[in-house]
Amino acid sequence: MKELSNKTNLQILHEDNHIIVINKRVGDIVQGDKTGDKPLSEVVKEYIKDKYNKPGEVFLGVVHRLDRPTTGIVVFARTSKALTRLNEMFSNRETQKTYWAVVKNKPEKAEDTLVHFLKRNEKNNTSKAHLKEVPDSKMAKLDYKIIKELNSYFVLEIDLHTGRHHQIRAQLSAIGSPIKGDLKYGFDRSNPDGGIHLHARKLVFIHPVSKEKLEIVAAVPNNSVWNAI
């Protein structure tokens, strides 16, 4: 596993008085969990405290999360007003999220809309994609298209319509195209850094306070497969 983010190696994509947007690295957890590892939210708090010489506790609101092995855009709120508005935007799907994924098996169609019903398994922290509704399942929808063919892999661009647990990972696995490195969803071997080739590439949303339209793009990680793109 790669060295986790600390306040000196944060990749900051946007920063103002109300929000801060980070390009998350492989292995970072956005919020504290049972592992006890230091979460990205605490790293960002330390950065803000140091940079702005803030006394006492720093406010930072977690708006959404990315899976630990994935990379890309994560938004944090620096004020309670921004947090309330961002929470509403994300829950009402008023944001446009675009992901890139690298897969070995070419999907049957160059582009398609996938609709599945995902059922979460809390015990092993996975979601299974079903073609028809099953008890306790949630509808999941995404669009994908192949944007690049590499020597051994295919790069997909994905636009989410819903935000379900492990949605992209489970849905791509269900069509026979698991993401590179994703052992949990059927890829045959892990990546050296313990991550998977799923990257939150672009986020478009209205700033919660200034109301300006923000379009944020995150550079892909520096490794041989991503660099080939």
Side-chain angles (χ1 to χ4, degrees):
M1 185 72 78
K2 270 188 178 175
E3 173 205 357
L4 303 186
S5 284
N6 59 57
K7 64 188 178 190
T8 59
N9 66 19
L10 279 178
Q11 294 181 40
I12 298 164
L13 303 173
H14 176 92
E15 181 181 359
D16 62 44
N17 290 335
H18 294 279
I19 63 174
I20 184 166
V21 185
I22 306 293
N23 188 0
K24 183 181 107 55
R25 294 152 55 115
V26 162
D28 288 340
I29 43 170
V30 174
Q31 206 171 15
D33 66 4
K34 60 180 183 286
T35 64
D37 292 342
K38 188 176 195 173
L40 190 58
S41 55
E42 289 302 315
V43 176
V44 176
K45 277 186 184 180
E46 287 177 4
Y47 161 80
I48 291 169
K49 190 176 178 70
D50 282 5
K51 181 174 180 180
Y52 299 101
N53 227 349
K54 281 188 173 286
E57 187 69 19
V58 170
F59 178 89
L60 193 77
V62 176
V63 178
H64 65 122
R65 285 179 279 279
L66 283 182
D67 299 338
R68 188 164 192 169
T70 66
T71 55
I73 297 168
V74 180
V75 181
F76 294 100
R78 290 190 55 199
T79 61
S80 55
K81 181 159 87 169
L83 179 61
T84 301
R85 291 181 181 172
L86 284 168
N87 281 339
E88 286 171 3
M89 272 191 262
F90 274 79
S91 63
N92 294 336
R93 315 300 303 165
E94 293 167 15
T95 59
Q96 288 174 261
K97 296 178 187 173
T98 303
Y99 288 77
W100 282 0
V102 177
V103 300
K104 192 172 188 176
N105 303 329
K106 186 177 184 179
E108 279 185 25
K109 297 179 181 176
E111 56 184 280
D112 200 6
T113 297
L114 302 182
V115 178
H116 291 94
F117 293 87
L118 297 193
K119 183 166 182 175
R120 186 169 181 176
N121 182 331
E122 299 280 357
K123 278 187 181 171
N124 61 12
N125 191 33
T126 59
S127 287
K128 184 167 176 57
H130 299 266
L131 289 174
K132 292 183 178 174
E133 193 169 2
V134 297
D136 302 319
S137 64
K138 292 180 177 176
M139 193 272 281
K141 184 179 179 182
L142 62 78
D143 300 326
Y144 77 82
K145 62 182 175 185
I146 299 171
I147 57 168
K148 183 101 175 172
E149 294 192 21
L150 307 175
N151 286 340
S152 309
Y153 301 104
F154 299 87
V155 184
L156 311 183
E157 186 169 272
I158 296 142
D159 289 308
L160 284 179
H161 292 275
T162 53
R164 306 301 185 201
H165 175 257
H166 289 185
Q167 177 178 341
I168 298 172
R169 300 167 68 181
Q171 288 196 271
L172 291 184
S173 178
I175 63 166
S177 299
I179 295 166
K180 183 178 183 305
D182 199 356
L183 297 178
K184 198 171 254 192
Y185 286 93
F187 201 81
D188 57 2
R189 65 183 185 277
S190 60
N191 288 337
D193 63 5
I196 64 174
H197 275 73
L198 177 62
H199 180 70
R201 171 68 173 170
K202 187 168 83 168
L203 181 67
V204 181
F205 63 106
I206 303 299
H207 190 283
V209 180
S210 72
K211 304 303 182 192
E212 67 175 311
K213 184 179 181 181
L214 293 178
E215 182 172 309
I216 294 170
V217 176
V220 293
N222 180 21
N223 64 49
S224 58
V225 175
W226 282 126
N227 290 344
I229 299 170

